[in-house]
Amino acid sequence: MKLKRFFLGGLAALVVLLVGGFFLLPYMLDGTINRVADHEPYDIPQEITRLHQGLVVADLHADTLLWIRDPLDRADDGHVDLPRLIDGNVALQVFSVVTKVPMGQNYEENDAGSDVVSPLSVAQRWPARTWTSLYERAIYQAGKLDDAERRSEGRLAIVRWREDLEAVLAARAQGRDVVGGLLAMEGGHPLEGDIAHVEDFYRSGYRMIGLHHFFDNELGGSLHGKSDGGLTEFGRDVLRAMEDRRMIVDLAHSSPAIVTDVLASATRPVVISHTGIKGACDSPRNISDTLMQQVAAAGGLVGVGYWKGAVCDASPAGVVKAIRYAIDLLGEDHVALGSDFDGAVGTTFDVSELAVLTREMMEAGFTQNEIAKVMGGNIVRFMQENLPSKPAEPLKDGA
């Protein structure tokens, strides 16, 4: 009997340990893969601080909503939260929603047969409906941003309409600490092949959809998939549905064939939200300079990232070197920040330390006009020109 009790007690302890470890997994993952390299505090001269604080700063891509931490609380892990956004003087942050990531994710070739977000959704205690549905994961994470806005006491404002952006800018001009948050989707697979879901996501607040992530989907080929394919008929339907609603098309992670097809069909400018420039960093993560030029020529924006796979040298000086190359290639009106913060990448600074980029740009001889545009002016202008206007009456279900 004693041996049986000992065995059962040991088994119970093992179960507790395993279950506890499983539910600690999100914290361990976040702290491990969304790292900021150890460094001494960056020396930012007073005049650079004043210059940075006078900028309108914006970023095209952060995956913060995937993780278990509260975006309103200052965290030791990861790259982005509201207090650090305020410290970094960010006026507009695009929050991109991740719903599926393949096992063994790489830049060369992935298939869609595995998914690490499924166990992560369970470990993070997301609702059961999200465990098997990409659509529900996208809806749930949109709700997380809504909830953060409600609890933020006016410091976080979701930007759904052009008028919302203008209100954020006006509030900041009056000295208020308010950050605009724009909701985006990383990959069109949460549409689950149903064109009606474009409207569902629009009503949930999504204003940007990246067509792909790390694998091919119903819309066509990923840059990191197996087919290298262009737009499918469903992909063309999605493009038309997005344009009808003035939703922004994001071609980050899309195959060269997709980029070519979209540029041939689109009637509005597109973005590549987080990337590097092939000529500056010959990485399989980056598409050709020629395609980048075509995106810019169509009025689009290219967001330069902060991680090694995109820029090769992830130091602040290395990121600015990639930005310089992008400006020289594409023109100063088409280059922006596209951090990929909280996107399972390591960086050398977090969002609170963005003034280090302003410092490096000044030291590299950028003009103040170039700095103002890249640090956020181009994104704000693009959104002012391309976001939908608020309807006279609120959207109604079934309308």
Side-chain angles (χ1 to χ4, degrees):
M1 183 63 73
K2 288 183 178 179
L3 182 61
K4 182 179 179 181
R5 284 200 298 268
F6 176 79
F7 173 76
L8 291 175
L11 182 61
L14 179 61
V15 169
V16 169
L17 183 63
L18 290 173
V19 171
F22 179 71
F23 286 109
L24 286 174
L25 177 65
Y27 298 98
M28 294 185 290
L29 275 176
D30 191 13
T32 301
I33 63 180
N34 292 316
R35 290 192 67 252
V36 180
D38 293 336
H39 62 272
E40 294 295 321
Y42 291 113
D43 180 22
I44 311 295
Q46 197 171 49
E47 61 271 21
I48 300 296
T49 298
R50 285 196 297 269
L51 172 61
H52 184 79
Q53 290 299 314
L55 298 172
V56 177
V57 180
D59 175 71
L60 281 173
H61 193 93
D63 294 329
T64 309
L65 297 174
L66 177 63
W67 303 102
I68 197 168
R69 53 192 148 89
D70 188 331
L72 300 187
D73 294 341
R74 187 182 298 274
D76 294 327
D77 292 329
H79 304 123
V80 172
D81 49 55
L82 186 60
R84 285 185 284 178
L85 284 164
I86 292 171
D87 289 348
N89 191 39
V90 175
L92 179 65
Q93 177 64 61
V94 176
F95 290 100
S96 189
V97 162
V98 176
T99 58
K100 181 174 179 176
V101 176
M103 296 285 290
Q105 171 185 300
N106 63 84
Y107 289 148
E108 286 78 18
E109 183 178 282
N110 302 270
D111 63 41
S114 62
D115 176 28
V116 299
V117 177
S118 291
L120 187 65
S121 66
V122 178
Q124 294 191 147
R125 298 180 289 282
W126 288 7
R129 67 180 186 275
T130 68
W131 298 353
T132 57
S133 169
L134 306 186
Y135 171 85
E136 292 294 350
R137 289 176 198 171
I139 295 295
Y140 173 70
Q141 289 184 70
K144 286 180 69 175
L145 189 61
D146 287 341
D147 177 65
E149 180 189 45
R150 283 192 296 269
R151 295 184 293 108
S152 73
E153 299 179 342
R155 296 178 302 150
L156 174 65
I158 298 177
V159 173
R160 299 176 180 87
W161 316 105
R162 188 180 311 160
E163 291 80 3
D164 295 336
L165 177 56
E166 298 297 346
V168 168
L169 297 175
R172 291 178 61 84
Q174 295 169 4
R176 287 180 51 199
D177 285 336
V178 56
V179 178
L182 190 144
L183 190 62
M185 186 180 298
E186 187 147 33
H189 30 280
L191 293 167
E192 297 182 337
D194 187 344
I195 194 65
H197 287 166
V198 175
E199 178 68 9
D200 294 343
F201 290 135
Y202 180 74
R203 290 171 180 274
S204 297
Y206 284 93
R207 291 298 178 264
M208 182 188 298
I209 295 179
L211 303 188
H212 296 91
H213 200 198
F214 272 90
F215 49 89
D216 303 334
N217 61 25
E218 296 94 340
L219 287 75
S222 165
L223 181 60
H224 326 287
K226 291 191 168 185
S227 72
D228 296 320
L231 278 176
T232 62
E233 282 306 309
F234 180 67
R236 294 182 188 280
D237 290 344
V238 170
L239 176 61
R240 286 190 291 269
M242 289 180 64
E243 290 204 325
D244 287 346
R245 293 162 176 79
R246 298 186 67 85
M247 298 176 81
I248 295 160
V249 175
D250 180 9
L251 297 177
H253 294 291
S254 288
S255 70
I258 290 285
V259 177
T260 300
D261 285 351
V262 169
L263 290 176
S265 301
T267 61
R268 304 177 64 239
V270 301
V271 304
I272 300 181
S273 64
H274 57 301
T275 187
I277 311 295
K278 192 81 166 179
C281 177
D282 189 10
S283 163
R285 175 61 179 79
N286 302 329
I287 62 173
S288 71
D289 287 16
T290 299
L291 282 177
M292 292 288 196
Q293 288 174 314
Q294 292 174 18
V295 168
L301 271 187
V302 173
V304 176
Y306 307 158
W307 76 101
K308 185 177 180 180
V311 294
C312 291
D313 175 3
S315 70
V319 174
V320 166
K321 183 178 179 181
I323 291 172
R324 177 75 269 165
Y325 183 94
I327 291 175
D328 293 342
L329 179 72
L330 307 175
E332 64 183 30
D333 292 330
H334 302 285
V335 182
L337 303 181
S339 65
D340 202 17
F341 276 150
D342 291 329
V345 296
T347 66
T348 59
F349 52 92
D350 70 11
V351 73
S352 71
E353 302 174 291
L354 286 180
V356 72
L357 293 183
T358 302
R359 184 197 73 185
E360 292 294 334
M361 289 185 199
M362 285 295 292
E363 292 181 357
F366 283 55
T367 68
Q368 291 197 19
N369 197 46
E370 288 174 329
I371 294 171
K373 287 182 175 183
V374 170
M375 291 298 290
N378 284 338
I379 294 176
V380 168
R381 171 186 51 79
F382 186 92
M383 296 303 174
Q384 288 171 325
E385 292 173 354
N386 290 288
L387 282 174
S389 291
K390 191 172 184 177
E393 295 186 7
L395 295 174
K396 298 177 182 178
D397 291 340

